[in-house]
Amino acid sequence: MARYFDIHPENPQRRSIGQVVDLLRGDGLIAYPTDSCYALGCQLGNRDGIDRIRTIRHLDDRHHFTLVCENFAQLGQFVHISNAVFRSIKAATPGSYTFILPATKEVPRRLLHAKKKTVGVRIPDHVVTQALVAELGEPLVSSTLLLPGHEEPMTQGWEIKEELDNQIDAVIEGEAGVEPTTVIDFSDDVPEIVRVGSGDPTPFE
């Protein structure tokens, strides 16, 4: 049964954030709000959590998981990024964008796109998400909470708890966006808009 945390959207309670991070460090899987929509998240080394995300969302090995990062210093440890691409991404973050880039050896192989060896990264503009990642001290492995057969991601914490109560370990109730991120593929240094979502795609056209 999933624990339920009601965390203040502007002033997250440190105790609650700490409790959620303890769950993550204990190989827990959480549902949490972001500036785009709700996401499923677990720690980098949590093999079971990653498998559970795949099961819940019916994902194959071509799916790009996203590493939700606190800042550029952290992001730079996990992806290869040229100066030109750095400037483009820097101008658009924090925000509702996911960028697909070649992964460094710091990224576990099971998180990579099977053929391209790429991974998604993002720096969200969301107080609760930032507090979680800062307390965790490493990126949060994430995937949009879009269930099989649903056309839109889930946006309400209590609905997520009802739907996934026995499949995840915690739900954070909070303010979330209602649209997934805009996804930009920088695998070849030239931006390719893969999905138009809540982030304005114009800078990458």
Side-chain angles (χ1 to χ4, degrees), residues 42 50 59 72 96 122 139 141 168 175-176 178 184:
C42 67
I50 293 164
L59 301 175
F72 259 95
S96 297
R122 68 174 299 229
V141 177
I168 61 178
E175 295 180 3
V178 296
I184 312 295

mmCIF file with all atom_site columns, all heavy atoms in Angstrom, residues 42 50 59 72 96 122 139 141 168 175-176 178 184:
data_model
loop_
_atom_site.group_PDB
_atom_site.id
_atom_site.type_symbol
_atom_site.label_atom_id
_atom_site.label_alt_id
_atom_site.label_comp_id
_atom_site.label_asym_id
_atom_site.label_entity_id
_atom_site.label_seq_id
_atom_site.pdbx_PDB_ins_code
_atom_site.Cartn_x
_atom_site.Cartn_y
_atom_site.Cartn_z
_atom_site.occupancy
_atom_site.B_iso_or_equiv
_atom_site.pdbx_formal_charge
_atom_site.auth_seq_id
_atom_site.auth_comp_id
_atom_site.auth_asym_id
_atom_site.auth_atom_id
_atom_site.pdbx_PDB_model_num
ATOM 1   N N   . CYS A 1 42  ? 12.483 6.623  -9.397  1.00 0.00 ? 42  CYS A N   1
ATOM 2   C CA  . CYS A 1 42  ? 13.226 5.774  -8.479  1.00 0.00 ? 42  CYS A CA  1
ATOM 3   C C   . CYS A 1 42  ? 14.706 6.140  -8.555  1.00 0.00 ? 42  CYS A C   1
ATOM 4   O O   . CYS A 1 42  ? 15.118 6.951  -9.391  1.00 0.00 ? 42  CYS A O   1
ATOM 5   C CB  . CYS A 1 42  ? 13.018 4.293  -8.792  1.00 0.00 ? 42  CYS A CB  1
ATOM 6   S SG  . CYS A 1 42  ? 13.708 3.739  -10.365 1.00 0.00 ? 42  CYS A SG  1
ATOM 7   N N   . ILE A 1 50  ? 13.072 0.238  -11.698 1.00 0.00 ? 50  ILE A N   1
ATOM 8   C CA  . ILE A 1 50  ? 13.063 0.440  -13.154 1.00 0.00 ? 50  ILE A CA  1
ATOM 9   C C   . ILE A 1 50  ? 12.205 -0.618 -13.836 1.00 0.00 ? 50  ILE A C   1
ATOM 10  O O   . ILE A 1 50  ? 11.418 -0.318 -14.744 1.00 0.00 ? 50  ILE A O   1
ATOM 11  C CB  . ILE A 1 50  ? 14.507 0.425  -13.686 1.00 0.00 ? 50  ILE A CB  1
ATOM 12  C CG1 . ILE A 1 50  ? 15.256 1.660  -13.160 1.00 0.00 ? 50  ILE A CG1 1
ATOM 13  C CG2 . ILE A 1 50  ? 14.534 0.413  -15.215 1.00 0.00 ? 50  ILE A CG2 1
ATOM 14  C CD1 . ILE A 1 50  ? 16.762 1.574  -13.277 1.00 0.00 ? 50  ILE A CD1 1
ATOM 15  N N   . LEU A 1 59  ? 6.523  -0.725 -21.170 1.00 0.00 ? 59  LEU A N   1
ATOM 16  C CA  . LEU A 1 59  ? 7.587  -0.136 -21.981 1.00 0.00 ? 59  LEU A CA  1
ATOM 17  C C   . LEU A 1 59  ? 8.526  -1.203 -22.533 1.00 0.00 ? 59  LEU A C   1
ATOM 18  O O   . LEU A 1 59  ? 8.763  -2.227 -21.890 1.00 0.00 ? 59  LEU A O   1
ATOM 19  C CB  . LEU A 1 59  ? 8.412  0.843  -21.133 1.00 0.00 ? 59  LEU A CB  1
ATOM 20  C CG  . LEU A 1 59  ? 7.644  2.010  -20.510 1.00 0.00 ? 59  LEU A CG  1
ATOM 21  C CD1 . LEU A 1 59  ? 8.567  2.811  -19.600 1.00 0.00 ? 59  LEU A CD1 1
ATOM 22  C CD2 . LEU A 1 59  ? 7.053  2.912  -21.584 1.00 0.00 ? 59  LEU A CD2 1
ATOM 23  N N   . PHE A 1 72  ? 22.901 21.944 -13.909 1.00 0.00 ? 72  PHE A N   1
ATOM 24  C CA  . PHE A 1 72  ? 23.765 21.574 -15.028 1.00 0.00 ? 72  PHE A CA  1
ATOM 25  C C   . PHE A 1 72  ? 24.999 20.793 -14.592 1.00 0.00 ? 72  PHE A C   1
ATOM 26  O O   . PHE A 1 72  ? 25.494 19.933 -15.316 1.00 0.00 ? 72  PHE A O   1
ATOM 27  C CB  . PHE A 1 72  ? 24.177 22.814 -15.824 1.00 0.00 ? 72  PHE A CB  1
ATOM 28  C CG  . PHE A 1 72  ? 23.384 22.973 -17.077 1.00 0.00 ? 72  PHE A CG  1
ATOM 29  C CD1 . PHE A 1 72  ? 22.257 23.773 -17.100 1.00 0.00 ? 72  PHE A CD1 1
ATOM 30  C CD2 . PHE A 1 72  ? 23.730 22.281 -18.229 1.00 0.00 ? 72  PHE A CD2 1
ATOM 31  C CE1 . PHE A 1 72  ? 21.504 23.900 -18.248 1.00 0.00 ? 72  PHE A CE1 1
ATOM 32  C CE2 . PHE A 1 72  ? 22.984 22.396 -19.389 1.00 0.00 ? 72  PHE A CE2 1
ATOM 33  C CZ  . PHE A 1 72  ? 21.870 23.212 -19.405 1.00 0.00 ? 72  PHE A CZ  1
ATOM 34  N N   . SER A 1 96  ? 10.003 22.783 -18.961 1.00 0.00 ? 96  SER A N   1
ATOM 35  C CA  . SER A 1 96  ? 9.285  21.555 -19.309 1.00 0.00 ? 96  SER A CA  1
ATOM 36  C C   . SER A 1 96  ? 9.816  20.932 -20.600 1.00 0.00 ? 96  SER A C   1
ATOM 37  O O   . SER A 1 96  ? 9.086  20.758 -21.585 1.00 0.00 ? 96  SER A O   1
ATOM 38  C CB  . SER A 1 96  ? 7.784  21.844 -19.434 1.00 0.00 ? 96  SER A CB  1
ATOM 39  O OG  . SER A 1 96  ? 7.267  22.271 -18.205 1.00 0.00 ? 96  SER A OG  1
ATOM 40  N N   . ARG A 1 122 ? 16.592 16.138 -17.912 1.00 0.00 ? 122 ARG A N   1
ATOM 41  C CA  . ARG A 1 122 ? 15.845 17.390 -17.784 1.00 0.00 ? 122 ARG A CA  1
ATOM 42  C C   . ARG A 1 122 ? 16.122 18.042 -16.437 1.00 0.00 ? 122 ARG A C   1
ATOM 43  O O   . ARG A 1 122 ? 16.519 17.373 -15.475 1.00 0.00 ? 122 ARG A O   1
ATOM 44  C CB  . ARG A 1 122 ? 14.348 17.173 -17.990 1.00 0.00 ? 122 ARG A CB  1
ATOM 45  C CG  . ARG A 1 122 ? 13.629 16.375 -16.917 1.00 0.00 ? 122 ARG A CG  1
ATOM 46  C CD  . ARG A 1 122 ? 12.120 16.343 -17.167 1.00 0.00 ? 122 ARG A CD  1
ATOM 47  N NE  . ARG A 1 122 ? 11.543 17.672 -17.159 1.00 0.00 ? 122 ARG A NE  1
ATOM 48  C CZ  . ARG A 1 122 ? 10.458 18.012 -16.468 1.00 0.00 ? 122 ARG A CZ  1
ATOM 49  N NH1 . ARG A 1 122 ? 9.806  17.120 -15.758 1.00 0.00 ? 122 ARG A NH1 1
ATOM 50  N NH2 . ARG A 1 122 ? 10.003 19.242 -16.493 1.00 0.00 ? 122 ARG A NH2 1
ATOM 51  N N   . PRO A 1 139 ? 20.478 12.249 -9.717  1.00 0.00 ? 139 PRO A N   1
ATOM 52  C CA  . PRO A 1 139 ? 19.263 12.338 -10.542 1.00 0.00 ? 139 PRO A CA  1
ATOM 53  C C   . PRO A 1 139 ? 18.241 11.279 -10.160 1.00 0.00 ? 139 PRO A C   1
ATOM 54  O O   . PRO A 1 139 ? 18.579 10.207 -9.649  1.00 0.00 ? 139 PRO A O   1
ATOM 55  C CB  . PRO A 1 139 ? 19.786 12.098 -11.963 1.00 0.00 ? 139 PRO A CB  1
ATOM 56  C CG  . PRO A 1 139 ? 21.229 12.418 -11.915 1.00 0.00 ? 139 PRO A CG  1
ATOM 57  C CD  . PRO A 1 139 ? 21.680 12.032 -10.538 1.00 0.00 ? 139 PRO A CD  1
ATOM 58  N N   . VAL A 1 141 ? 15.596 8.730  -11.637 1.00 0.00 ? 141 VAL A N   1
ATOM 59  C CA  . VAL A 1 141 ? 15.187 8.031  -12.860 1.00 0.00 ? 141 VAL A CA  1
ATOM 60  C C   . VAL A 1 141 ? 13.683 8.150  -12.995 1.00 0.00 ? 141 VAL A C   1
ATOM 61  O O   . VAL A 1 141 ? 12.947 7.765  -12.085 1.00 0.00 ? 141 VAL A O   1
ATOM 62  C CB  . VAL A 1 141 ? 15.582 6.544  -12.807 1.00 0.00 ? 141 VAL A CB  1
ATOM 63  C CG1 . VAL A 1 141 ? 15.088 5.826  -14.064 1.00 0.00 ? 141 VAL A CG1 1
ATOM 64  C CG2 . VAL A 1 141 ? 17.081 6.389  -12.666 1.00 0.00 ? 141 VAL A CG2 1
ATOM 65  N N   . ILE A 1 168 ? 3.242  0.821  -6.330  1.00 0.00 ? 168 ILE A N   1
ATOM 66  C CA  . ILE A 1 168 ? 4.258  1.818  -5.997  1.00 0.00 ? 168 ILE A CA  1
ATOM 67  C C   . ILE A 1 168 ? 4.311  1.984  -4.480  1.00 0.00 ? 168 ILE A C   1
ATOM 68  O O   . ILE A 1 168 ? 3.470  1.452  -3.752  1.00 0.00 ? 168 ILE A O   1
ATOM 69  C CB  . ILE A 1 168 ? 3.989  3.174  -6.687  1.00 0.00 ? 168 ILE A CB  1
ATOM 70  C CG1 . ILE A 1 168 ? 2.639  3.761  -6.247  1.00 0.00 ? 168 ILE A CG1 1
ATOM 71  C CG2 . ILE A 1 168 ? 4.037  3.017  -8.205  1.00 0.00 ? 168 ILE A CG2 1
ATOM 72  C CD1 . ILE A 1 168 ? 2.348  5.130  -6.858  1.00 0.00 ? 168 ILE A CD1 1
ATOM 73  N N   . GLU A 1 175 ? 0.867  20.141 -6.826  1.00 0.00 ? 175 GLU A N   1
ATOM 74  C CA  . GLU A 1 175 ? 0.475  20.794 -8.061  1.00 0.00 ? 175 GLU A CA  1
ATOM 75  C C   . GLU A 1 175 ? 1.373  20.314 -9.204  1.00 0.00 ? 175 GLU A C   1
ATOM 76  O O   . GLU A 1 175 ? 2.601  20.389 -9.121  1.00 0.00 ? 175 GLU A O   1
ATOM 77  C CB  . GLU A 1 175 ? 0.572  22.317 -7.912  1.00 0.00 ? 175 GLU A CB  1
ATOM 78  C CG  . GLU A 1 175 ? -0.409 22.882 -6.887  1.00 0.00 ? 175 GLU A CG  1
ATOM 79  C CD  . GLU A 1 175 ? -0.285 24.392 -6.764  1.00 0.00 ? 175 GLU A CD  1
ATOM 80  O OE1 . GLU A 1 175 ? 0.518  24.999 -7.510  1.00 0.00 ? 175 GLU A OE1 1
ATOM 81  O OE2 . GLU A 1 175 ? -0.993 24.960 -5.917  1.00 0.00 ? 175 GLU A OE2 1
ATOM 82  N N   . ALA A 1 176 ? 0.739  19.827 -10.273 1.00 0.00 ? 176 ALA A N   1
ATOM 83  C CA  . ALA A 1 176 ? 1.487  19.351 -11.435 1.00 0.00 ? 176 ALA A CA  1
ATOM 84  C C   . ALA A 1 176 ? 0.903  19.960 -12.698 1.00 0.00 ? 176 ALA A C   1
ATOM 85  O O   . ALA A 1 176 ? -0.251 20.382 -12.728 1.00 0.00 ? 176 ALA A O   1
ATOM 86  C CB  . ALA A 1 176 ? 1.425  17.826 -11.518 1.00 0.00 ? 176 ALA A CB  1
ATOM 87  N N   . VAL A 1 178 ? -0.296 19.560 -16.729 1.00 0.00 ? 178 VAL A N   1
ATOM 88  C CA  . VAL A 1 178 ? -1.249 18.608 -17.300 1.00 0.00 ? 178 VAL A CA  1
ATOM 89  C C   . VAL A 1 178 ? -0.791 18.083 -18.658 1.00 0.00 ? 178 VAL A C   1
ATOM 90  O O   . VAL A 1 178 ? -1.512 17.346 -19.320 1.00 0.00 ? 178 VAL A O   1
ATOM 91  C CB  . VAL A 1 178 ? -2.654 19.246 -17.437 1.00 0.00 ? 178 VAL A CB  1
ATOM 92  C CG1 . VAL A 1 178 ? -3.216 19.581 -16.074 1.00 0.00 ? 178 VAL A CG1 1
ATOM 93  C CG2 . VAL A 1 178 ? -2.615 20.504 -18.312 1.00 0.00 ? 178 VAL A CG2 1
ATOM 94  N N   . ILE A 1 184 ? 13.296 17.011 -27.090 1.00 0.00 ? 184 ILE A N   1
ATOM 95  C CA  . ILE A 1 184 ? 14.219 17.427 -28.136 1.00 0.00 ? 184 ILE A CA  1
ATOM 96  C C   . ILE A 1 184 ? 15.378 16.425 -28.197 1.00 0.00 ? 184 ILE A C   1
ATOM 97  O O   . ILE A 1 184 ? 16.058 16.206 -27.197 1.00 0.00 ? 184 ILE A O   1
ATOM 98  C CB  . ILE A 1 184 ? 14.791 18.841 -27.873 1.00 0.00 ? 184 ILE A CB  1
ATOM 99  C CG1 . ILE A 1 184 ? 13.679 19.844 -27.521 1.00 0.00 ? 184 ILE A CG1 1
ATOM 100 C CG2 . ILE A 1 184 ? 15.618 19.306 -29.066 1.00 0.00 ? 184 ILE A CG2 1
ATOM 101 C CD1 . ILE A 1 184 ? 12.703 20.128 -28.619 1.00 0.00 ? 184 ILE A CD1 1
#
